Structures are given as structure tokens and as C-alpha cells.
Amino acid sequence: MNLKLHYLVFSILLLSFCNCYAQNITLFNQFNGRYDFTFVGNTMNLGENNITPGCSNLLVTSSSASLNLNPNQEIKAAYLYWAGSGFGDFDVKLNSETITPQRTFSNVASSTGLSYFSAFAEVTDQVIATGNGTYTLSDFSITQTLLNITGYCNNRTNFAGWAMVIIHKDLNLPLNQINVYDGLQSIPTALNITLNSLNVIDNNDAQIGFIAWEGDSNLAINETLRINGNILSNPPLNPANNAFNGTNSITNSATLFNMDLDVYNIQNNINIGDNTALIQLTSGQDVVLINVVVTKLNSQLPDATIAIETVNQSCNSKNYIVDYTVSNLNSTNPLAAGTPIAIYANGILVGQTQTQNVIPIDGSENGQISIILPDAITIDFVLTFVVDDNGTGTGIVLEIAENNNDDIQSLSQWFSPDFNELQDLFTCNEGFNVGTFNFSDYANLVLANATDNFIGFYETLADATNNTNPISNTTNYNTTAPKELFIRIENDNCFNITSFNLRTKNCAPTIYNYVSANTDGFNDTFFIDGLRNVFVNFELEIYNRWGRLIWKGNNNTYDWDGTIAIGPTISSSLAPKGTYFYLLNLNDVDYPNPLVGWLYFTK
């Protein structure tokens, strides 16, 4: 494969791995408090690349720089950027630790048509662990041959370098707002960048810093840097007509070849009350790429945020008790008491309250409110808490950020599960309304929704409510009827209780039509199963085969044992062996007709 084809394939592969974000310089992060910033970094160029054509000033693969913070300066964040010509090397090391970019940027300069890249990685933990000392970026390879064949060397735009933005806290500082903006934009002839999310309360010691690439000290053709229309300069390091000239304001170095780490004082160029600033850059010839802009402004404002902590709700109720927390964390001033709070459900105002106390910087306040949902909300709804809202969507407190005042939770109302109505369960009366019941299949029959859960059967409503003492024997349950049993069912959040009744009915008795009066303990009397204590008003008559009544009894008499108790025969004498007939009147509304039949008596 020839060299040019090799580079083409290489470039396509790199592009396929490049997660290229929007290139415009936009706000990446904001810090509010006693913060300041500094830069640490170095070039990979051994000299400027505009002195002679070609790549006589080779790019090295590693370079070092030192971080020197004061003992009272505590590192809050560390952001690493590295950049260069071409499509990028995204596998580098910082102090021998492999770095993988979390974001990458690319840019094609309109003046050259060539591509340039930048990569970003947060290295806060590593820098905190290392602290002051030397930092070396290594394994940063931009192949010199590739620069030659693609025109970077002939255009004298071959460069590589790295820089870290260090945000540090210092209790001796005033309350500042640090904004970090990044992207990758080149200066075609003129470039305007609007910095948003500013909040200028006091412009004393206001500063702006830049990480820029490919600036040359020997190219000073209409190369200016303006903020709000005013040219910035810092002579002799950064003259007004050569803003991007390979310098480092932190170390006061003028040999940071093909990159700039510059910081300017802007307190006379920005006004109190400003929330935007216009950055204007021009370059008559030099290719300059802006990668990072950092601003430091004195800002003394609260920043109210709110969090829904817990939502306490009840089944079948539209009343909700909500615990919430109002915080003033990313702030530079206390939050006043009486800051309004509005609560919405599906956009409908359902409650209002306010903060009770002054909330200090980094402080918070807990609160609780009871709200009632309107009838228009049936099941699902979105609950929104908004701090600094007077109920009309309007705030009354000037804050650092006005877009972080709400917290949202999606909720559903809780309803008890539905159930199927159960029929009363009947079984035969075993005597005195005692019966044996099998109601095990009611566990499934009661469920109206397959996703609900049957929990148990209970003898009392209190047991069902408290889920105590469930009935274990559901297939052979013996009890006196009528009796009400209770069923507990549950869904994910609620339970419900229903009931059914156990009832007995008088089933037809079973008649054994053989009597053997030999006192052997078997069939000694005329036994009718399910008669006594069931049909308590029964009347039984025994007739001989000629139709003569010989015995009559009821629930208060003995079972017939063959004795002739009625007629001309001597009382209490035994009937002769033979066939006899019975007439059983149950005297029950379900059995209006008497039961008749025969029986055989023997001695």
C-alpha cells in the first residue's frame, strides 16, 4: 500500500472512532464560590513552524510542565486538553497513566482546508492525588511523514501540545464565578464568540483565559483579541496586534511554540449586570484555533435548587405528604427566607409554600407539605416542585442560574385491588348447624386481576386487616354456620378485603333399612344418618306389612329397636321377623313430602 493510500485509510479509521461534538465554544462547567483558575501545559513543537517551510521543527511525543499551587489552594477540578494537526491521537498518557478522552473535537480550517483535532479528559482525581510537581504528557504521536504528505508542513501548520485547566479553591478569595467554555473553532478572518451564563456583580479582578493553538510570534497581521469591542493586550508578552504568539501568561514564557495559555484582566472591559460577553478574534494570515475560554467574575448571588425527597401516599387517597429539600450549593450568597415554592401536578398548581430560614452558602433546608390532587387527575401524573416560583412561573430572587429550580417525579395514584364477589358456600348440616367446608378454590376465584396476589383467609376482619392468624386448613374446615370469612388480596401498593359466608343446609338423610336386634352392636336399631340434630322436628312411624302403626318416634325418643309400642300387642314386645315400612316426616320446608320405604327386621 502506498503512503498516500495508507494515510487515507488511517484517516477514515480515525474518523470512525471520533465522537465529534459541536465545535462552537459553549459553556462546559461553572463553579461558584471562592475559586480561581490556572493553566498548566506545554508544546510538542521544538520551535515555531513559520520560519522555514517544511517540517524542520520536529514534533516530539512528550513534554512536561509544572504545577505550583500555594498550600491554601485546594484543587476542585482538573481538565486535560490535547490538540494537534490531523485527525488525532486519542491514546496518550499523563505521568504514565493511560488517558482516554471523554469528548473529542475536530475542525477544518477554512484558510487551509486541513483538519485539526482536540481531545478532553477530566483528570481531577489524578491531579489531586499527585498535587504539585511535574506533569508529563507522553505517547502523543503525530507522524511526521503524515504531516509531510498532507500539506501541514508546507503550510507550516504542524503543531501539537497539551494543557490543563486547574480550578482551585482558596478561602482568601472573594466569591467568584468561574465559567469554563470549550469547543474547537478556527479564525477564518474574523470570529465572534458569545459567552453566555455570566453574572457580573463586581468586575474587580475580572479575568479571561484562553487555550489556543497554532499561534506564531512572527505572524502579526491583523491578529487581535477583543472583548465587548475592546482590544485586549498584555505587553510585552501579548501585544495588541499579536494576541496568539506562543506565550504562557502563567510562566511568562514566550517560547510556548504554536500554542497560547494566556490570561487577561478584563475588569475595565465588562460591566456590572452583564450576563453575556462578546469575544471577537481576527487574524490576517495565521491559523489560530480557540479550544478553551475561562472567565473569572466576582459574583455574589444565591442559587436555589430543590429536591423531592420522599412522597408519602395512601391507597385510594388524593392526599400526598411530600418531604423536600431546598439547597443553596453552587452559590456565592445566602438564599433569603421566604423564597417561594410552587408545586404542580400535570402542570396544575396544587400547593405553595416558602423557605423558612436564610439558607447559607452550601446549606440546605428540609420541608414538608401536604397536597391534594384535583379530581381531573385520575391515575398517572407528574409532580413538579419549583423553588423561586410564586405560583405563576415567575421568580422573585436573582440567582446564579435560573434553569435549575425544579425537580420532577412521575407518580401513580394507589388504588386497592378490585375483587370478584363470592357466593356463599354451602355444605350439609352435620348437626346443630355444624358443617365441613372446602373453600380453597376461592383463592383464585376472588382475583379480578391476574397481577394481584391472594394473601389469605381469616376468621375476623381485624386479622385480615393486620394480616395475622390466616386459616391454614381450607379444604376440611369444620365450624358452626352461618359464619363470615374474610379474604385479603394485594397489589404492589395496596390491599383490599372482601368476605363470604359459610352456610349449612339440611341434606336428605341416609336411611339404613336393616335392623338386627341381637345386641351384637351392629344394626341393633333403625339408624337414619343425618336425621337427629339436623331435622330436629322430624316424626318417624313404623308400620307392619298389614299397614298397622306399631311404633312412633321423634327427636326426643329412642331409635326403633323392633319394639311394638302401639296396638293390641303387649307393649314393649318385639315385632316378629319380617318386612316393615316406615314413614318419615322431616317437617322441613325443603322436604314437604314424607319419605317412605321398607326395612327388614330380624332377631
Side-chain angles (χ1 to χ4, degrees):
M1 181 183 294
N2 64 49
L3 194 55
K4 290 185 177 180
L5 182 58
H6 177 85
Y7 179 75
L8 178 60
V9 173
F10 175 76
S11 301
I12 292 172
L13 287 173
L14 281 176
L15 282 173
S16 68
F17 288 106
C18 177
N19 185 12
C20 296
Y21 286 70
Q23 306 307 301
N24 289 345
I25 302 293
T26 57
L27 180 66
F28 169 63
N29 208 350
Q30 185 180 84
F31 303 85
N32 293 282
R34 302 185 188 277
Y35 293 114
D36 204 342
F37 73 95
T38 189
F39 294 140
V40 175
N42 205 350
T43 181
M44 299 293 184
N45 288 66
L46 296 179
E48 284 197 2
N49 57 13
N50 71 335
I51 300 174
T52 58
C55 286
S56 58
N57 296 313
L58 300 179
L59 299 177
V60 294
T61 60
S62 68
S63 65
S64 302
S66 295
L67 175 63
N68 298 294
L69 294 177
N70 296 328
N72 60 328
Q73 294 175 333
E74 176 188 349
I75 296 171
K76 176 69 174 179
Y79 301 143
L80 173 66
Y81 296 85
W82 67 99
S85 304
F87 294 105
D89 179 1
F90 303 118
D91 185 13
V92 299
K93 293 181 178 179
L94 181 65
N95 285 3
S96 300
E97 184 174 323
T98 299
I99 302 297
T100 301
Q102 285 128 29
R103 295 180 298 142
T104 59
F105 307 94
S106 66
N107 186 278
V108 177
S110 60
S111 59
T112 65
L114 297 175
S115 295
Y116 306 93
F117 79 95
S118 173
F120 164 89
E122 182 171 356
V123 291
T124 303
D125 292 341
Q126 182 181 356
V127 174
I128 289 175
T130 302
N132 284 340
T134 301
Y135 288 84
T136 300
L137 190 84
S138 59
D139 288 6
F140 188 4
S141 177
I142 297 179
T143 306
Q144 209 71 29
T145 304
L146 293 178
L147 294 175
N148 272 317
I149 67 172
T150 53
Y152 292 96
C153 292
N154 288 336
N155 280 286
R156 306 174 195 179
T157 58
N158 54 303
F159 79 93
W162 65 277
M164 286 194 296
V165 178
I166 307 293
I167 310 297
H168 58 82
K169 187 173 185 178
D170 186 339
L171 296 179
N172 297 317
L173 292 171
L175 295 168
N176 294 320
Q177 180 185 81
I178 308 295
N179 286 341
V180 180
Y181 307 83
D182 63 13
L184 192 63
Q185 289 184 260
S186 60
I187 305 174
T189 300
L191 175 65
N192 293 338
I193 301 173
T194 299
L195 303 182
N196 296 306
S197 302
L198 301 179
N199 189 33
V200 181
I201 301 300
D202 182 348
N203 61 13
N204 290 333
D205 197 31
Q207 290 183 322
I208 190 167
F210 295 88
I211 297 177
W213 309 106
E214 221 296 291
D216 300 304
S217 62
N218 289 320
L219 283 178
I221 302 174
N222 193 30
E223 188 172 285
T224 62
L225 168 62
R226 290 177 171 84
I227 181 168
N228 292 337
N230 302 311
I231 291 181
L232 296 179
S233 64
N234 184 23
L237 196 64
N238 297 112
N241 66 342
N242 196 4
F244 303 104
N245 55 350
T247 56
N248 185 336
S249 298
I250 308 301
T251 63
N252 206 37
S253 170
T255 58
L256 193 68
F257 304 121
N258 300 108
M259 63 179 288
D260 283 86
L261 300 179
D262 291 326
V263 178
Y264 297 89
N265 189 300
I266 58 171
Q267 68 180 38
N268 296 322
N269 304 104
I270 195 163
N271 298 313
I272 296 174
D274 285 355
N275 52 31
T276 64
L278 178 62
I279 305 297
Q280 297 169 296
L281 307 102
T282 62
S283 177
Q285 183 174 343
D286 204 359
V287 174
V288 177
L289 297 128
I290 302 298
N291 198 173
V292 181
V293 180
V294 184
T295 60
K296 180 183 74 173
L297 302 167
N298 186 256
S299 172
Q300 296 186 35
L301 285 178
D303 187 36
T305 59
I306 195 166
I308 300 172
E309 303 293 352
T310 57
V311 179
N312 300 293
Q313 58 187 111
S314 303
C315 297
N316 312 308
S317 173
K318 288 184 174 292
N319 185 41
Y320 290 73
I321 299 175
V322 185
D323 296 308
Y324 62 90
T325 301
V326 177
S327 299
N328 188 32
L329 302 179
N330 189 31
S331 63
T332 53
N333 211 37
L335 179 66
T339 300
I341 300 168
I343 299 95
Y344 301 89
N346 285 356
I348 302 171
L349 183 68
V350 294
Q352 290 181 274
T353 185
Q354 61 185 18
T355 58
Q356 302 302 307
N357 306 291
V358 174
I359 302 178
I361 297 171
D362 292 333
S364 61
E365 175 185 284
N366 296 324
Q368 186 180 85
I369 188 172
S370 176
I371 61 172
I372 298 177
L373 296 182
D375 292 338
I377 297 176
T378 55
I379 300 179
D380 299 327
F381 65 98
V382 175
L383 183 66
T384 305
F385 272 56
V386 188
V387 63
D388 191 23
D389 182 345
N390 62 7
T392 66
T394 304
I396 65 171
V397 178
L398 181 62
E399 300 180 68
I400 284 174
E402 299 288 355
N403 60 353
N404 61 351
N405 293 123
D406 62 355
D407 192 22
I408 297 173
Q409 280 196 21
S410 296
L411 299 170
S412 295
Q413 297 181 67
W414 291 353
F415 296 102
S416 297
D418 293 329
F419 54 81
N420 294 321
E421 295 288 346
L422 297 174
Q423 299 295 320
D424 289 349
L425 185 62
F426 286 86
T427 193
C428 291
N429 183 1
E430 298 171 5
F432 301 114
N433 293 319
V434 172
T436 300
F437 298 87
N438 180 355
F439 45 82
S440 58
D441 60 340
Y442 275 22
N444 290 322
L445 294 176
V446 73
L447 297 178
N449 191 327
T451 60
D452 295 335
N453 298 309
F454 165 82
I455 302 302
F457 297 98
Y458 307 84
E459 292 186 332
T460 67
L461 177 61
D463 282 344
T465 302
N466 299 319
N467 192 17
T468 56
N469 304 315
I471 297 172
S472 58
N473 179 13
T474 61
T475 59
N476 193 33
Y477 182 78
N478 186 262
T479 189
T480 300
K483 184 171 186 176
E484 185 178 15
L485 293 186
F486 300 87
I487 297 178
R488 180 188 178 106
I489 59 175
E490 296 179 358
N491 55 27
D492 290 340
N493 303 299
C494 303
F495 71 91
N496 209 345
I497 295 173
T498 184
S499 67
F500 63 98
N501 291 303
L502 301 179
R503 299 187 183 276
T504 58
K505 61 182 179 179
N506 294 339
C507 298
T510 301
I511 299 173
Y512 298 91
N513 55 358
Y514 180 76
V515 179
S516 175
N518 56 8
T519 66
D520 63 355
F522 298 100
N523 302 314
D524 289 335
T525 62
F526 181 33
F527 178 68
I528 302 177
D529 190 14
L531 178 64
R532 291 186 181 274
N533 302 329
V534 176
F535 298 95
V536 294
N537 297 315
F538 78 89
E539 293 177 338
L540 177 62
E541 297 176 348
I542 304 297
Y543 295 86
N544 63 17
R545 55 185 166 178
W546 291 283
R548 177 178 294 173
L549 178 67
I550 64 171
W551 186 88
K552 186 175 182 180
N554 55 37
N555 209 30
N556 297 316
T557 62
Y558 59 88
D559 291 341
W560 185 62
D561 58 0
T563 300
I564 298 175
I566 301 174
T569 306
I570 298 174
S571 176
S572 300
S573 63
L574 290 179
K577 180 174 67 175
T579 299
Y580 292 82
F581 298 90
Y582 65 84
L583 186 151
L584 177 59
N585 195 337
L586 297 176
N587 292 321
D588 187 285
V589 294
D590 292 331
Y591 299 91
N593 299 317
L595 303 180
V596 296
W598 63 271
L599 64 91
Y600 184 77
F601 175 75
T602 184
K603 299 180 182 178

